[in-house]
């Protein structure tokens, strides 16, 4: 069952994706329109970048509120109930992996031949190498965070919490353990919040870096492709999830009927 905080962000995210889909249609239309001006293309690109920035602002605010409330709600960002299992399977530290942007560029270049000129490609490859280093840096921090769960203090807390059912553990001692566990969990959430923001910053840096190297027309085509990828992945994931849930209900219904016979 979702918490109130999860429901609130789920509603926001659904509306955000719906707007992204609307922008995606505009981008596709603009990429095929020959009479559109460069100024109009730039305005459309600005709308999309502002839309992404708005998302991260809302996400960080919701995450900070969750951590401030004790940290329990925050962990949903690493396995979000507002996303399908398929989307979560392809998630990198609560979002799309920055390297994906360069794969999208490669696909567009393969389709369009000269979508990206050679001099642009060289600069984009340099950016790609920098972003890969940024990804690895964030991954190392995440690895240290995960290993930290098994540090001496956490192991001792786990041992004490495991003894709470024993008669030797008094109610006062059990309450003290709860306080220590809550503090430890909040500390874990704080560390993960920093990692999430670091990963999001790499995503934003990637988006800005790529768009800085592309012309307005190229930017529109790139944003249309990467937005369509996100929208379609969500559609496929939700459809698949709906099919699984439907089969599960049918199985449960069949079981009840057999028991009733």
């Amino acid at each position: 069952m979702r918490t109130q905080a999860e429901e609130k962000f789920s509603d926001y995210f659904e509306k955000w994706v719906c707007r992204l889909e609307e922008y995606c249609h505009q981008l596709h239309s603009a990429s095929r329109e020959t009479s559109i001006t460069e100024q109009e293309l730039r305005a459309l690109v600005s709308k999309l970048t502002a839309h992404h920035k708005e998302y991260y602002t809302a996400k960080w605010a919701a995450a900070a509120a969750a951590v401030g409330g004790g940290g329990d709600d925050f962990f949903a960002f690493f396995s979000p109930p507002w996303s399908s299992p398929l989307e979560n399977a392809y998630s990198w530290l609560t979002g799309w992996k920055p390297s994906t942007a360069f794969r999208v560029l490669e696909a567009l270049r393969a389709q369009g031949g000269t979508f990206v000129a050679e001099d642009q490609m060289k600069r984009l490859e340099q950016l790609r190498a920098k972003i890969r280093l940024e990804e690895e840096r964030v991954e190392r921090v995440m690895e240290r965070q995960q290993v930290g769960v098994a540090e001496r203090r956490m192991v001792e807390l786990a041992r004490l919490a495991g003894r709470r059912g024993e008669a030797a553990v008094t109610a006062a001692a059990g309450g003290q353990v709860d306080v220590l566990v809550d503090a430890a969990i909040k500390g874990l959430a704080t560390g993960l919040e920093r990692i999430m923001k670091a990963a999001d910053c790499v995503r934003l840096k990637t988006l800005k870096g790529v768009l800085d190297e592309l012309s307005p027309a190229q930017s529109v085509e790139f944003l249309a492709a990467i937005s369509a990828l996100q929208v379609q992945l969500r559609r496929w994931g939700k459809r698949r999830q709906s099919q699984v849930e439907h089969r599960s209900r049918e199985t449960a219904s069949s079981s009840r009927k057999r028991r009733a016979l």
Side-chain angles (χ1 to χ4, degrees):
M1 187 175 181
R2 295 182 184 181
T3 65
Q4 187 176 359
E6 289 171 355
E7 285 289 352
K8 184 177 179 181
F9 194 80
S10 294
D11 291 342
Y12 168 79
F13 185 71
E14 192 63 43
K15 292 174 183 176
W16 185 88
V17 173
C18 286
R19 290 200 302 273
L20 179 66
E21 190 170 359
E22 291 172 6
Y23 284 135
C24 191
H25 290 314
Q26 294 178 32
L27 289 165
H28 280 296
S29 297
S31 65
R32 295 190 297 266
E33 181 60 60
T34 57
S35 61
I36 193 168
T37 66
E38 185 172 303
Q39 185 177 1
E40 289 172 322
L41 291 173
R42 289 185 185 279
L44 193 51
V45 171
S46 294
K47 280 184 181 180
L48 255 293
T49 52
H51 188 55
H52 281 282
K53 289 177 182 176
E54 177 207 299
Y55 167 70
Y56 290 113
T57 299
K59 179 184 178 184
W60 293 350
V67 172
D72 289 347
D73 285 347
F74 170 78
F75 297 112
F77 285 93
F78 279 80
S79 184
W82 49 84
S83 297
S84 66
L86 177 63
E87 291 171 279
N88 290 339
Y90 283 94
S91 178
W92 179 78
L93 300 176
T94 77
W96 55 277
K97 193 165 188 177
S99 299
T100 305
F102 301 98
R103 298 300 297 272
V104 170
L105 286 171
E106 287 176 355
L108 289 172
R109 195 164 189 251
Q111 294 169 11
T114 57
F115 169 75
V116 179
E118 286 298 327
D119 60 327
Q120 288 178 304
M121 203 63 212
K122 287 179 181 178
R123 292 192 295 271
L124 285 167
E125 283 299 326
Q126 292 173 350
L127 175 64
R128 185 181 200 165
K130 292 178 181 177
I131 292 302
R132 183 56 195 150
L133 291 175
E134 293 275 355
E135 286 178 342
E136 290 173 353
R137 181 183 62 80
V138 177
E139 286 169 354
R140 285 195 298 272
V141 177
M142 182 62 178
E143 184 180 358
R144 288 197 296 271
Q145 177 77 14
Q146 291 172 325
V147 172
V149 173
E151 69 178 3
R152 182 176 176 181
R153 181 170 63 94
M154 294 298 291
V155 171
E156 179 62 17
L157 278 175
R159 187 182 67 81
L160 290 173
R163 292 180 56 199
R164 284 196 61 194
E166 299 177 12
V169 180
T170 64
Q176 187 177 13
V177 170
D178 285 342
V179 171
L180 292 172
V181 169
D182 289 344
I185 289 175
K186 186 172 182 179
L188 292 175
T190 301
L192 287 171
E193 182 192 14
R194 287 195 293 267
I195 293 169
M196 183 192 77
K197 286 184 177 180
D200 287 343
C201 285
V202 180
R203 282 184 266 271
L204 288 169
K205 186 182 294 186
T206 302
L207 195 60
K208 182 181 185 304
V210 169
L211 294 176
D212 284 347
E213 294 297 338
L214 301 179
S215 68
Q218 290 172 329
S219 295
V220 165
E221 193 170 350
F222 165 72
L223 287 171
I226 201 167
S227 298
L229 183 62
Q230 183 174 358
V231 169
Q232 290 301 327
L233 190 65
R234 182 164 182 78
R235 281 182 179 174
W236 296 332
K238 290 180 76 173
R239 183 177 64 189
R240 176 64 179 167
Q241 187 175 17
S242 177
Q243 291 171 345
V244 170
E245 290 173 352
H246 178 69
R247 285 198 297 269
S248 179
R249 286 194 297 269
E250 286 187 331
T251 301
S253 177
S254 297
S255 297
R256 286 195 297 270
K257 288 178 180 177
R258 286 195 299 269
R259 288 197 298 269
L261 293 176

